[in-house]
Amino acid sequence: MRRSIATVCVSGTLDDKLTAAAAAGFDGIELFENDLVVSPRSPDEIRTRCADLGLSIDLYQPFRDFEAVPPAQLRANLERAERKFDVMAALGVDTVLVCSSVSPDAVDDDELAASQLSMLADRAAGRGMRIAYEALAWGRHVSTWDHSWRIVQRADHPALGLCLDSFHVLSRSAELDGIADITPGKIFFLQLADAPNLSMDVLQWSRHHRLFPGQGAFDLPRFVDLVLAAGYDGPLSLEVFNDVFRQSDPARTAVDAMRSLIALEDRLSVRGLPSAPQLAGLSFTEFAVDGRSGPSLRVALRGLGFTHTGQHRTKPVELWEQAACRVVLNSAVTEPGAAAINAFAITSEDPQRSLRRAEALLAPAHPNVREPGEAELAAITAPDGTSVFITRPDDDWRSDFLPTGVPVAAGAGLLSTDHLGLAQPFDHFDEAGLFYHSVLDLDHLATGEYAAPFGLMRSRGVANPDRTVRLALTVALLRRGEWAPAVADPQHVAFRTGDIVATASALSLARLPVPDNYYADLAARFALPDDFVATLRRHGILYDRDSSGGELLHLYTPVLGGRVFFEIVERRGGYDLFGEANAPVRMAAQRHRRLSG
Ligand SMILES: O=C(O)c1ccc(O)c(O)c1
Ligand SMILES: [Mg+2]
């Protein structure tokens, strides 16, 4: 299907937007009037520019407050419409979007609305144009798709049809099945937007919080399926009003937008991508370290029971292991400053297919510099710049490391990497969620918010079906201000143990001190037995319980080398999340710990 994007989705002037849309591979655009009005190009020149870029102009919009008005107003509205038809003729666009009236002067009279829209359609038809009527969720009298359809049916004019916008339809949790019964050919245009579930004024929700498909909570595949069942064969067109996208790099937003459509088409089976291979776990996490952070990470790894088992053949890179937990310390990446997670690796049953899928979803390939004889690691770059390596089930990458011969430590019972905690750059949180969801086919777990010492935080978990790969993405709800302590957004690796009390007893490293107030509150909140709470307190273990009785027991290290820390988790009874309720306790404790040295 053709793919289009409304100019309102991305930042910049009209030229910036057109360039971005074309570069991302869109076939067409919806031209917003504002973008035309502020452009120094004439409509003719815009038409030429779009043609040069290979973009069609699929829709001109919006035309507001047209229908169901008193006669004098109707004359003025028709006159206004003629001026817009002039512009459309010069642009070479044949469809104009008329959104349902929000005017207090509009009359609640379907017959009047239908007859006036029919007059408008007559004039449009005279110029080879057509009218797509869209019910805004906050329309004065017409606010649902079925109401707009009744009016279009009543008008019964060949140049009058519907514009269906997923936001307006799905934000109203309307009855949907009837969409499939709309007369073939009467859906003139389809606009797609996702959104998070929010309880708020629907206009504010629409104008600030729309997202690209796959980034929010709406069931877009079902909606689009119904529209296709009604015979729609026009473009899939994104219309996303979003405060962050409006001020982000348009080239990047357009790629994010295109990825959302490719992923949606894949879910609709309109266009098949290489299927996502099964993933078998997080095979290693790589930290970039320098002369200051390297030593503190080594001390911590030893204290956690890791052994420095391997040294890279050609690079200053160390492999540390304990059971299936692997950490790589890379001193070759010399970005000055804190230690940071600069890469992680996921085991795929078919790395090459994983990579082909990633490419089809416009994931940037990671330039992988390798010496002869070294394992070929497929790699892509995540939205926050982290490299994601895709490794084979046989872990052939380990042969790049020569054994150190260091005797293997007894360990502390750590079994495998449970999850990574990756704080995301403010502008790329939604992009990251869609990236992992589509490229690696990770499911969205719950999205949550919590009040942390340095601001409100949002978290979104993503995981594969059998939960061997879990990522906890976090972001501050507001872009950070000037007072942002360095510990505000650290990254971490969590390792799984089967018995956290035994593991805690075997550790030999500084634990994060957890305040007594926390344990007093915990005992009260969950009615826990005294001796259990005493054990948790003795080891600095935090606790969470979900609504089905699943439990998480976890503990943290202080922040190491400026930005990273480790966590140990024991999951009981199918606990599926990350203990977000305890994140504020951890953040405050980490800051106390830094202040006290
Ligand atoms: O917010 C609006 O006014 C507006 C305008 C045009 C649309 O297609 C729409 O969905 C919303
Ligand atoms: Mg719309």
Side-chain angles (χ1 to χ4, degrees):
M1 303 191 68
R2 294 170 45 75
R3 300 166 180 158
S4 297
I5 184 167
T7 54
V8 75
C9 296
V10 294
S11 192
T13 62
L14 182 59
D15 282 11
D16 295 323
K17 295 170 188 230
L18 297 179
T19 306
F26 281 95
D27 303 302
I29 58 156
E30 290 178 36
L31 181 57
F32 262 61
E33 191 155 69
N34 284 349
D35 288 308
L36 172 106
V37 170
V38 303
S39 173
R41 292 182 191 269
S42 70
D44 269 329
E45 287 166 349
I46 293 172
R47 172 190 199 148
T48 308
R49 176 75 188 143
C50 287
D52 288 348
L53 288 167
L55 294 168
S56 58
I57 307 178
D58 297 324
L59 187 79
Y60 185 70
Q61 75 141 320
F63 196 76
R64 295 183 189 276
D65 295 335
F66 174 80
E67 81 283 22
V69 290
Q73 186 63 48
L74 176 65
R75 271 193 304 280
N77 287 355
L78 286 170
E79 194 44 45
R80 182 161 57 99
E82 293 290 353
R83 300 287 72 76
K84 298 304 158 189
F85 294 155
D86 295 342
V87 172
M88 290 169 59
L91 288 166
V93 52
D94 67 359
T95 308
V96 62
L97 180 138
V98 172
C99 37
S100 62
S101 179
V102 299
S103 165
D105 298 334
V107 184
D108 186 8
D109 180 342
D110 285 6
E111 181 55 44
L112 187 64
S115 70
Q116 294 184 350
L117 283 166
S118 185
M119 291 168 74
L120 181 66
D122 253 351
R123 302 202 176 198
R127 305 179 62 154
M129 294 174 186
R130 48 186 212 161
I131 308 295
Y133 183 52
E134 174 188 35
L136 297 181
W138 55 91
R140 174 108 180 140
H141 301 297
V142 178
S143 59
T144 59
W145 74 266
D146 47 317
H147 194 175
S148 59
W149 174 223
R150 285 197 300 278
I151 290 172
V152 166
Q153 283 175 292
R154 197 187 271 241
D156 193 22
H157 193 293
L160 178 69
L162 286 177
C163 169
L164 291 184
D165 176 326
S166 63
F167 180 87
H168 299 299
V169 175
L170 300 173
S171 63
R172 304 282 312 230
S173 43
E175 197 284 312
L176 299 184
D177 289 339
I179 290 174
D181 302 325
I182 293 173
T183 311
K186 288 309 265 186
I187 302 174
F188 284 3
F189 208 75
L190 176 62
Q191 296 179 319
L192 298 177
D194 203 339
N197 276 328
L198 296 172
S199 293
M200 67 187 297
D201 173 70
V202 69
L203 182 148
Q204 298 296 328
W205 186 15
S206 174
R207 295 237 175 114
H208 299 276
H209 301 285
R210 288 191 184 205
L211 293 168
F212 294 122
Q215 296 178 335
F218 289 173
D219 187 351
L220 284 168
R222 168 160 184 241
F223 173 73
V224 178
D225 260 336
L226 291 167
V227 175
L228 297 183
Y232 178 76
D233 62 0
L236 299 179
S237 187
L238 298 168
E239 189 198 32
V240 170
F241 307 84
N242 178 289
D243 295 351
V244 173
F245 302 160
R246 268 184 199 275
Q247 58 183 42
S248 304
D249 174 355
R252 182 157 172 176
T253 308
V255 169
D256 187 24
M258 177 55 83
R259 180 177 301 131
S260 80
L261 276 187
I262 297 171
L264 177 67
E265 289 178 10
D266 185 45
R267 278 174 210 278
L268 291 168
S269 315
V270 171
R271 189 178 319 215
L273 292 173
S275 65
Q278 206 176 322
L279 303 177
L282 288 157
S283 48
F284 68 82
T285 308
E286 178 175 307
F287 292 87
V289 293
D290 60 14
R292 262 174 5 103
S293 56
S296 76
L297 258 73
R298 287 188 195 95
V299 168
L301 287 170
R302 242 176 246 121
L304 289 166
F306 278 75
T307 304
H308 176 195
T309 54
Q311 191 67 36
H312 197 276
R313 291 170 189 276
T314 59
K315 300 174 195 159
V317 176
E318 300 168 12
L319 173 63
W320 290 69
E321 294 183 272
Q322 176 172 178
C325 312
R326 283 80 162 259
V327 170
V328 166
L329 300 184
N330 186 342
S331 325
V333 185
T334 46
E335 292 202 0
I341 294 179
N342 74 313
F344 63 87
I346 290 181
T347 305
S348 161
E349 63 173 5
D350 186 345
Q352 286 312 316
R353 188 152 47 106
S354 291
L355 202 59
R356 285 202 305 280
R357 180 179 174 88
E359 277 163 11
L361 283 159
L362 313 179
H366 170 84
N368 192 9
V369 188
R370 86 191 153 98
E371 304 292 326
E374 286 178 14
E376 182 167 354
L377 280 180
I380 49 180
T381 306
D384 66 352
T386 305
S387 304
V388 182
F389 293 109
I390 318 275
T391 54
R392 298 195 333 199
D394 66 1
D395 279 335
D396 66 330
W397 60 274
R398 292 173 82 243
S399 63
D400 289 351
F401 291 86
L402 297 171
T404 55
V406 173
V408 174
L414 303 185
L415 303 170
S416 59
T417 300
D418 181 88
H419 68 270
L420 303 181
L422 301 173
Q424 296 298 301
F426 182 83
D427 286 348
H428 303 300
F429 184 71
D430 294 307
E431 180 187 349
L434 174 64
F435 178 89
Y436 290 116
H437 179 49
S438 59
V439 173
L440 297 177
D441 199 27
L442 301 180
D443 298 328
H444 289 309
L445 308 177
T447 300
E449 285 173 14
Y450 51 87
F454 312 114
L456 292 174
M457 298 292 293
R458 175 171 295 148
S459 74
R460 160 172 268 184
V462 291
N464 66 340
D466 64 9
R467 302 300 192 253
T468 51
V469 176
R470 276 192 171 92
L471 304 176
L473 309 175
T474 55
V475 73
L477 248 62
L478 291 180
R479 195 190 295 272
R480 291 230 176 267
E482 280 158 26
W483 195 77
V487 291
D489 297 319
Q491 305 168 309
H492 78 280
V493 186
F495 302 110
R496 195 172 58 79
T497 172
D499 181 349
I500 197 166
V501 174
T503 291
S505 310
L507 298 178
S508 56
L509 83 169
R511 226 67 61 74
L512 193 65
V514 180
D516 281 346
N517 295 343
Y518 170 77
Y519 291 105
D521 173 61
L522 195 64
R525 229 172 349 126
F526 292 114
L528 297 171
D530 290 346
D531 57 341
F532 182 64
V533 176
T535 304
L536 297 181
R537 182 199 310 248
R538 189 160 62 249
H539 295 288
I541 298 171
L542 301 149
Y543 176 86
D544 190 31
R545 191 160 71 203
D546 64 25
S547 54
S548 21
E551 296 174 300
L552 181 76
L553 285 77
H554 57 151
L555 65 82
Y556 296 105
T557 69
V559 174
L560 307 160
R563 190 174 174 200
V564 298
F565 64 92
F566 294 110
E567 179 182 5
I568 295 172
V569 308
E570 179 188 341
R571 296 178 183 274
R572 296 181 178 172
Y575 183 95
D576 202 21
L577 296 171
F578 305 94
E580 288 89 338
N582 295 324
V585 181
R586 188 254 305 155
M587 289 163 129
Q590 285 174 333
R591 175 153 165 86
H592 281 296
R593 170 78 199 198
R594 287 161 67 94
L595 292 178
S596 62

